[in-house]
Amino acid sequence: ARPAPPGAAPHGGPPVDALRAVPPVDALRAVPCRIDLSPGVPDLTAFPRTAWLQAERRVLAGLTAADFGYGDPQGAPALRVAVAGWLARNRGIRADPGEIVVVAGVAQALGLLSAVLPGAGVRRVAVEDPGSLGARGQLRHRGLDTVGVPVDGAGLDVAALRASGAEAVLLTPAHQFPTGVVLDGERRRDLLGWAAAGGLVLEDDYDAEHRYDRPPVPALRALAPEAVCYAGSVSKLLAPALRLGWLLVPRRLRDEVVDAKRHADLGNPVLAQLVLARLMDSGELERHLRFVRRHRRRRDAMLGAVARHLPGARVHGAAAGLHLMVTFDGAGFPDTALADAALALGVKAHPLSWHRLTPGPPGLVLGYAAGTAGEIEEGVALLGRALRGFAPDRRR
């Protein structure tokens, strides 16, 4: 059977194009489906409930009554110490706990930066094209201007960054979203040269822990701490619902960022911070990281399914992360229509055009961490069924 016409959706939900009326990624999350291949979601069934509960009990047993009062808006000291150790072991970053601001995920980190950057003379921020729609929205929501800079096989085009006139740049150098490329050595040196001349780098290290076919690359923050604002979180390692992350900024911005955090929420919930600190200090979080690197098997399942069911699709970014990007070079259909047809069959996926600022080949961004191998196979097979409705030459 042919897929439903573009614009249809299951259970009366909105078509993908209609989701532009609100932040589309958020709206798509609320639409029911059979199989969710959205990017950015870890394996939530793998959350270490037993370890978390044991750590929480130990933390609670040691707390005094005073510990239940207002905490430090910069973050619980114990967590800042633990994060400093985590970053040194896993990302090559040497940071004093006093440099770390605990935040409610990378989204809040970008919100805080957007609040303080205009006071530092930054009003125009370059963003990767393609790049994260959600991250771009955080900057725009606070009134910053954004300008797209192309990404190619070596990462961000630094020459284009220079030509953009932006005072800062937001990028994902360890595993670019959504293409999956790594900012190569020459581009890194060029970017740090641009920063040394007065530019500011906003580094989103969103899934740096998930590596399969290559060793991790060092964070830019490790190379130029006074030119890089660094944001990370446990959203892709544990669960987005925890809303726990960290932000490191150059010394000249630290007081303003801490003040913005204080006025935003008086700090994150302390109990969750102390539990996470205990998991980091005990080595439990590293054990969990080794466990979830089984995502490689799911990545391999998706690669096989794409080869079987999406003939002609070109795969990008398979060496790391929690998602793949596929493009249909030379195809004449809009990828939002393909995503609509897939949604009508009960499968969620992001159209690549959501994350583009300039036109390009249609494509999809497909997450594989949250599904079983069987679900991945079925979901990609249904994508193939939807694709055949738009590309008659690919029916077989």
Side-chain angles (χ1 to χ4, degrees), residues 36-43 175 207 210 212 294-303 316-325 365-373 375-376 380:
D36 192 349
L37 299 181
S38 300
V41 181
D43 181 3
H175 182 240
D207 70 352
H210 299 281
Y212 312 124
R294 64 181 182 171
H295 291 329
R296 176 172 183 160
R297 295 196 293 272
R298 298 182 182 186
R299 186 279 311 264
D300 292 346
M302 179 163 276
L303 285 173
H316 311 256
L322 305 177
H323 73 272
L324 300 176
M325 185 180 87
V365 189
L366 305 174
Y368 51 76
T372 66
E375 290 168 341
I376 291 167
V380 176

Side-chain angles (χ1 to χ4, degrees), residues 1-10 16 34 37 308-311 328 331-349 362-364 366 377-396:
R2 292 174 63 85
V16 167
R34 288 172 53 202
L37 299 181
R308 285 187 292 276
H309 303 297
L310 303 180
F328 305 99
F333 56 85
D335 53 21
T336 51
L338 176 58
D340 276 348
L343 193 57
L345 296 173
V347 180
K348 288 184 190 178
L364 297 171
L366 305 174
E377 175 72 22
E378 181 183 1
V380 176
L382 289 169
L383 288 176
R385 178 180 165 191
L387 178 64
R388 289 194 295 272
F390 296 95
D393 55 320
R394 293 185 178 135
R395 288 177 187 276
R396 297 291 179 188

